[in-house]
Amino acid sequence: MAITRDDVLKALSAVTVDAGGTTLPASGRLSQVVVDPTNRVMFSILIDPSEAERFESVRRRAEGTILAMPGVSGVFASLTSERGPNQPAPPAQAAPPQPGRPAPPRTGPALPGVRHIVAVASGKGGVGKSTTACNLALALSAQGLKVGLLDADIYGPSVPKLFGLSGKPKVIEERLLAPMDGYGIKVMSIGFLIEPETAMIWRGPMVQSAITQMLREVAWGDLDILVVDMPPGTGDAQLTMAQATPLSGAVIVSTPQDLALIDARRGVTMFRKVSVPILGVIENMATFICPNCGHASHIFGHGGAREEAARLDVPFLGEIPLDMTIRETSDSGRPVVAVNPDGPHAKVYRGIAAQLWANLTGGPAPRAAPRIVIE
Ligand code: ADP
């Protein structure tokens, strides 16, 4: 039996939000309610950050009410502080940092056990952001760091495919999901949790809500770094997400074409607006290496991202060639850094990962412990 949004709203009218008996749907705090084809219900409750504690109990009651509905297979509800129609404006954003000065540290609620959260973003889709995020995460892991990868690309989650992972994550405690294992790193993707067509209709508050849950209701354990593959672009959803996630920094992936660079510039501006330090720009598909003769050609021009990074006063992390091996390994679920860790591609990603870690922490990563061979 298909559950409708009206069914959900009717059920939620039994949940009150204050002593006066205002119901959740009447409070104006309910985001758009989404029911996916498997009868999973998703919504968020708009609050001011100062109301978080009080509304946590409303959220739990709302979830309990929906779970008790016959036919509902799951519920995904969370609190969001995006401004709602009946709410006061959120506190003013910190002023954007002055060019050349480091951004002030972020103050969002940290994730226990996770030292750094770093966003991998792009101004537009198709520049190789997800491929780069995966291989960077693996390269960080190869340096002896404990690494997680959160695929927050809600409009086109591709991490399951890039890692060749399928199936649903296990629930290990009430409301806590176990991340999947992808070549030794902890992986969670919105793609494990929703049907692809559901993703397309998600709006800003829903996006934030889902990300918050994937951050906080996944058993990440102790991590040195959690890499977040962001949705492409610089619209409201991305801005909201950048605000809602306690990011230590962001990396922008761009191709050398001018257009992509304009988009990359928007990405830099977006993170500056919310005071997230830019750890660097990566130029992807920089040169084409001919698979037959090894000759390098600069199909899209060359050096644009490096120059642009200098103009924007952000670090340049390096160039990744346009290479058939990278595409083939990504598309077959065997990321190149994992399957050929000593090859030339892995070396490029490792160099970028080392620079990224240095920009993040000011020091080198611990080396992987040497392998002891007993003969
Ligand atoms: P995005 O996340 O920006 O949308 P993807 O990572 O999904 O982009 O990459 C888009 C396509 O480009 C994929 O088919 C991927 O295999 C390919 N690709 C990404 N980076 C490279 C590269 N350096 N060389 C060759 N192909 C690449």
Side-chain angles (χ1 to χ4, degrees):
M1 181 187 64
I3 308 276
T4 67
R5 268 189 292 216
D6 281 348
D7 298 334
V8 174
L9 289 175
K10 215 159 125 199
L12 286 178
S13 56
V15 178
T16 55
V17 301
D18 54 24
T22 311
T23 68
L24 187 51
S27 68
R29 292 173 179 272
L30 201 55
S31 71
Q32 190 198 23
V33 170
V34 173
V35 184
D36 83 1
T38 62
N39 280 350
R40 257 180 305 200
V41 178
M42 292 165 268
F43 58 88
S44 60
I45 302 166
L46 300 163
I47 58 158
D48 183 80
S50 62
E51 302 171 310
E53 215 170 299
R54 181 162 73 85
F55 271 87
E56 178 54 21
S57 91
V58 175
R59 187 186 76 84
R60 281 210 213 112
R61 276 187 280 133
E63 275 195 347
T65 304
I66 299 305
L67 267 182
M69 286 173 71
V72 164
S73 63
V75 59
F76 207 56
S78 77
L79 301 177
T80 161
S81 60
E82 193 181 71
R83 197 179 165 192
N86 297 343
Q87 282 183 277
Q93 282 301 316
Q98 298 296 312
R101 302 230 186 105
R106 302 270 298 147
T107 52
L111 201 57
V114 177
R115 276 173 73 197
H116 298 286
I117 307 180
V118 170
V120 176
S122 63
K124 63 168 194 173
V127 301
K129 170 184 55 60
S130 299
T131 306
T132 306
C134 281
N135 281 300
L136 264 187
L138 290 162
L140 286 160
S141 163
Q143 289 177 46
L145 297 168
K146 283 184 243 151
V147 182
L149 177 66
L150 170 55
D151 177 9
D153 188 345
I154 212 130
Y155 305 116
S158 50
V159 167
K161 183 173 158 226
L162 285 166
F163 277 86
L165 290 169
S166 58
K168 299 267 175 239
K170 282 203 191 83
V171 179
I172 47 174
E173 277 170 39
E174 199 195 351
R175 303 210 53 77
L176 200 61
L177 293 176
M180 305 274 222
D181 176 74
Y183 299 96
I185 68 176
K186 292 178 178 169
V187 179
M188 179 52 66
S189 169
I190 192 78
F192 297 140
L193 306 174
I194 52 160
E195 306 303 321
E197 58 278 18
T198 314
M200 303 307 292
I201 55 165
W202 287 31
R203 303 279 189 271
M206 297 298 303
V207 173
Q208 181 185 337
S209 170
I211 297 316
T212 307
Q213 279 202 284
M214 286 203 299
L215 276 172
R216 301 194 184 277
E217 295 182 8
V218 170
W220 292 111
D222 281 339
L223 293 181
D224 292 309
I225 182 166
L226 177 62
V227 176
V228 182
D229 183 8
M230 296 276 285
T234 50
D236 283 351
Q238 289 81 356
L239 185 68
T240 309
M241 195 191 287
Q243 261 172 318
T245 314
L247 294 171
S248 306
V251 173
I252 313 271
V253 180
S254 175
T255 55
Q257 297 98 312
D258 260 344
L259 189 65
L261 289 177
I262 292 168
D263 291 310
R265 233 170 287 162
R266 287 201 193 107
V268 170
T269 310
M270 177 181 85
F271 284 110
R272 282 198 169 144
K273 230 190 246 176
V274 292
S275 304
V276 172
I278 308 288
L279 301 169
V281 172
I282 298 173
E283 185 170 297
N284 189 34
M285 312 197 199
T287 44
F288 174 67
I289 314 285
C290 171
N292 299 321
C293 68
H295 176 72
S297 8
H298 301 134
I299 301 178
F300 302 125
H302 185 236
R306 184 188 288 273
E307 284 162 23
E308 189 57 30
R311 250 198 302 274
L312 289 167
D313 201 16
V314 295
F316 183 68
L317 288 174
E319 297 169 6
I320 301 163
L322 170 64
D323 193 297
M324 288 285 274
T325 310
I326 297 180
R327 195 192 63 70
E328 281 166 4
T329 50
S330 303
D331 293 353
S332 64
R334 303 161 60 248
V336 71
V337 171
V339 297
N340 190 3
D342 298 319
H345 311 96
K347 192 169 164 223
V348 171
Y349 286 109
R350 275 206 313 270
I352 293 176
Q355 189 58 50
L356 165 65
W357 184 257
N359 292 357
L360 183 63
T361 62
R367 280 283 171 81
R371 226 152 52 90
I372 299 168
V373 182
I374 300 167
E375 300 202 350

